Structure formats: structure tokens, C-alpha cells
Amino acid sequence: MSWFYRIYHFALKCIVIFIGIPNPKLHQGKTGLLDAIEALGLKSGDNVLVVTDQVLLKLNLHQVVENTLRESEFVTHYYADVLPNPTIANVEDGLKVYQQHQCKAIIALGGGSVLDTGKLIGARAVKPNKPVTKLKGLFKVLKRLPPNIAIPTTAGTGSETTVAAVVNDPSNHAKYAATDFCLVPHHAVLLPELTTSMPAHITATTAIDALTHAIEALLSINCLKFSRGRALEACRAIFEYLPKAQQDPQNLEARAQLLLASHYAGQAFTRTSVGYVHAISHQLSAQYGTPHGLANAVLLMPVLTWYGERINQQLALIARYCGLTSLDYPVERQADDLLEHIKRLLLDLHIQTTLTEVLPDDAALLAELALKEAHPDYPVPHFMDPSACQRIIKGIAPTP
């Protein structure tokens, strides 16, 4: 089937080349938030749905949005029960609030789970007769969403610029994505001050999530010039500014750079797709509730190691661009230097190498589901077989 997969990948590449993928209008800083809200084109007194979660409400991070909306004379309504791994019920409950108050716009404030939920609420608003389960896959919405803004409070998912929205179906232990150009938010606002209260381990795992996006984008056979440039910039910023943000959580420059890196990585992978790290990670989140960023962080090195010398050229490119190696070294040494740097970074961030919830007996099923997700959708550089996938999963399970 590999030939069929490559034909499919080529078709995806042609879509990017000849049709293109939209970008949100990027706004930065508090004046950027006001600009984005004014750009929604609403009238005084219009109702706006703010999608967020309980943690952000307790931290009072919503107040900057609330104040700006109030100054603009809009009426705010909240749906704030989004789970870390958002469910179909979250989308449907948010839709009820949107419809009940006849909202005219959606502002999603939070991490990737919140931003994805906001996208899907918008999709359901314009497709009221199409359940979330029918939005799975490519181009199932095909209709402009209500005016919307995405405001990330974590520097990792890049959801504020991507064509995808991921949701969990707990009844089937499944996690899947809706993918459509219209799911790209209309406006993205980057506010570094909203990320300073993140715990160190969340800062770490979300940043490694963004790093994974960038690396898997560069590994994709569909990686073109724009994605390559964005992914390399994201890698360089994460390697430079993640340690600074860990050392000083209030460092707004570091926080701003990590948000921009996440944004760039999102722009990269939304054009190239991701790879086996994400394919396996999604199954762990669906089966065990493992946080997505943590799953990616644990899986990144095992998957890169599995590829071996077959991805030396791409890894060496990252190492050179980020100044992590010598230009005089052979490609193999440059690639090894990058892997060693990532390994040290994960160690310095205190990211574990195993996940206690992973059961070796589940490896066969998890591998089957991961490869079903990856094939044919992910334009990976080399294809993984079930036995290799099972070995990776068993390798991150705790030692008996």
C-alpha cells in the first residue's frame, strides 16, 4: 500500500502548493487584543461566547479579555468546562451556550484543548445538523465559521493557526481530528503575560510539543520552503528561550518568543502534517488520558531513534541552523549532536522517559490504532510497521 500512500501525499502537497492554506491575522500585545476584537465587525451590545476552562477562571486570566470586551460594549457569556482532553460533550455543551444567547462571535482563551473546542463549537454553529462524529477527517465543514479569535495561554499546540481540531470520544476510547481550512481561526492574539503562571512542567511539555511539531514538519516529505523556514525558526527559539523561561518564569521576552515559536511550528505542520510521535501520542491520550504534550515529550526520542540514519540530513539541518554543531562535522555527527542536545534538554526539564499508565499488553492495539491514524494521512519519510510501533510503546512502559 506504500505506493498508494505516496500518491495521496502528493495530492496533499498539491493542495498546499496550488490552493494554499490560510493564516490567521496575527496580533501581539494588549493593543493587539483590542485590534482583534474590533476586527470582528460586531455591533455594540452583541453577545460573545468566551470558551475557556476552570483553571484559567480561577487564575483570573480571563479578565484581560473580559475588560476589553466590556470596553468595546459587547456582552460576554462563558463556557468554561473544557477538559484537558476535550470531549464531544464539551463541544455540544458549549454550542448550547452559544445558541442560547444568540452569540455573534467566539473567543477561545486557553491551551490547545480550549482552542480546539472553540473551533468545533464554531463548526457546529454553522453545521447545526451535523454531529461532531461526522466532522472527523478532511473537509467536512466547508463553511466559514462565525467571527472568532484564538488566544493561546500555553506555548505548544499552535492551534491558533492550524486547520485541525482534536476531540475525544470517551465512549469509544477514540481521539480524532476534524481538518478543514475554515477551522483556521480568523485572528490569533499572543499575550506572553498570560503564560507566566504556567507551572514549570507545563511550560516544558507544551514547548516540547511545539518542538515536536517543528521536527515532524521538517521530516515530512511534503515540507516546502515556507514550512521549512517556520519550523527551523521554531526550533531555534525553543532551544534558546525554553531554558530561560524555566529559570525565570516572569521573563516576558522568553515567553513571547516561545509563543511565537509555537505559532510558527503550527504554521509549519498544518501544511506538512505530523508523524509517528503524534500518531502514538493520540492513542495514549485516548486510552489513558495522558496529557498530549507529555506523551509527545516521552515519545520524541524513541521515534527519532527508530528512524536512525534515514533522517540524518533533516536532523543535521536543524543542528546547523540552531548552532548546535560544527559546520566541519560530517552529517552523521551533526545529526547525533542534535539528538544529544534534545536528550540533555529533556533531562534538564525533568521529563520522564516512561509513562506508568502504559500497559505492555495494550501495545498491539495501540500500535494498530496509531498506524491506522498515520496511514495514509501523515507524509512520513519512512513507514513504520506494527512490530516497530509495538516496540516503541513497550519501551515507554515502566520496567516490571
Side-chain angles (χ1 to χ4, degrees):
M1 292 293 290
S2 59
W3 61 270
F4 167 74
Y5 297 158
R6 290 311 190 201
I7 292 173
Y8 180 75
H9 298 158
F10 179 72
L12 294 177
K13 190 173 186 177
C14 288
I15 290 173
V16 173
I17 293 173
F18 295 110
I19 298 178
I21 293 178
N23 283 309
K25 173 67 176 176
L26 179 61
H27 308 265
Q28 299 185 67
K30 290 183 179 179
T31 58
L33 175 60
L34 180 60
D35 290 343
I37 290 174
E38 290 180 346
L40 293 175
L42 305 183
K43 297 181 294 185
S44 176
D46 279 347
N47 294 314
V48 176
L49 175 67
V50 176
V51 181
T52 188
D53 61 36
Q54 289 296 323
V55 173
L56 293 180
L57 283 188
K58 291 175 182 176
L59 292 172
N60 213 33
L61 294 184
H62 68 291
Q63 203 59 54
V64 63
V65 176
E66 174 73 31
N67 292 342
T68 309
L69 286 169
R70 191 175 298 159
E71 290 169 8
S72 301
E73 300 183 337
F74 301 135
V75 181
T76 309
H77 303 276
Y78 284 87
Y79 175 69
D81 293 324
V82 180
L83 298 174
N85 283 309
T87 64
I88 292 173
N90 287 154
V91 177
E92 295 302 317
D93 290 345
L95 176 67
K96 290 175 185 176
V97 178
Y98 180 89
Q99 293 175 329
Q100 177 185 351
H101 297 286
Q102 298 181 322
C103 293
K104 302 297 184 183
I106 299 171
I107 298 179
L109 170 71
S113 58
V114 169
L115 303 190
D116 283 1
T117 302
K119 292 180 184 182
L120 290 171
I121 292 172
R124 288 285 285 116
V126 298
K127 290 285 187 177
N129 298 318
K130 200 167 191 175
V132 177
T133 52
K134 297 296 184 181
L135 298 176
K136 175 183 178 182
L138 297 175
F139 307 122
K140 300 295 177 59
V141 184
L142 295 174
K143 192 171 183 180
R144 183 175 175 80
L145 270 56
N148 61 80
I149 300 172
I151 308 173
T153 58
T154 60
T157 68
S159 182
E160 76 279 359
T161 188
T162 67
V163 298
V166 179
V167 68
N168 281 270
D169 183 353
S171 61
N172 294 309
H173 293 288
K175 186 171 185 175
Y176 55 78
T179 304
D180 203 314
F181 293 164
C182 61
L183 293 178
V184 176
H186 300 158
H187 302 273
V189 181
L190 305 184
L191 300 172
E193 60 270 24
L194 296 183
T195 69
T196 57
S197 59
M198 275 196 301
H201 73 281
I202 299 296
T203 296
T205 56
T206 53
I208 298 302
D209 186 15
L211 181 65
T212 304
H213 292 154
I215 291 175
E216 291 203 309
L218 285 161
L219 293 180
S220 170
I221 65 168
N222 281 3
C223 189
L224 299 170
K225 182 179 180 180
F226 177 82
S227 292
R228 186 177 301 110
R230 285 294 197 248
L232 288 170
E233 278 295 312
C235 288
R236 181 162 63 182
I238 292 166
F239 288 139
E240 179 177 354
Y241 289 101
L242 177 54
K244 295 179 180 179
Q246 290 293 85
Q247 293 165 8
D248 178 11
Q250 302 302 315
N251 185 329
L252 288 181
E253 180 190 8
R255 294 291 188 177
Q257 289 296 326
L258 289 178
L259 275 173
L260 193 58
S262 174
H263 189 78
Y264 283 167
Q267 288 181 315
F269 89 80
T270 206
R271 289 159 173 77
T272 65
S273 199
V274 284
Y276 291 121
V277 176
H278 277 77
I280 302 172
S281 171
H282 287 159
Q283 314 319 313
L284 302 185
S285 296
Q287 181 71 23
Y288 307 117
T290 308
H292 177 67
L294 175 60
N296 277 352
V298 172
L299 286 163
L300 180 57
M301 282 301 299
V303 171
L304 294 181
T305 302
W306 170 78
Y307 276 121
E309 63 183 15
R310 293 172 294 192
I311 58 169
N312 277 349
Q313 292 290 343
Q314 296 97 317
L315 298 186
L317 173 63
I318 300 171
R320 294 193 301 270
Y321 191 89
C322 298
L324 303 176
T325 190
S326 170
L327 299 181
D328 296 329
Y329 290 161
V331 167
E332 295 79 6
R333 172 72 181 275
Q334 293 175 348
D336 286 343
D337 283 347
L338 175 67
L339 293 176
E340 283 301 314
H341 186 82
I342 295 173
K343 191 183 301 182
R344 288 196 304 273
L345 177 61
L346 295 173
L347 187 63
D348 291 343
L349 295 172
H350 306 292
I351 291 176
Q352 64 224 56
T353 57
T354 61
L355 295 167
T356 56
E357 63 268 33
V358 176
L359 303 176
D361 289 345
D362 293 341
L365 175 60
L366 293 170
E368 178 185 351
L369 294 172
L371 296 183
K372 183 178 180 181
E373 174 181 320
H375 304 152
D377 286 344
Y378 298 164
V380 292
H382 300 278
F383 295 117
M384 184 181 289
D385 60 37
S387 62
C389 193
Q390 288 181 42
R391 285 195 299 274
I392 288 173
I393 295 168
K394 289 178 180 178
I396 64 169
T399 305

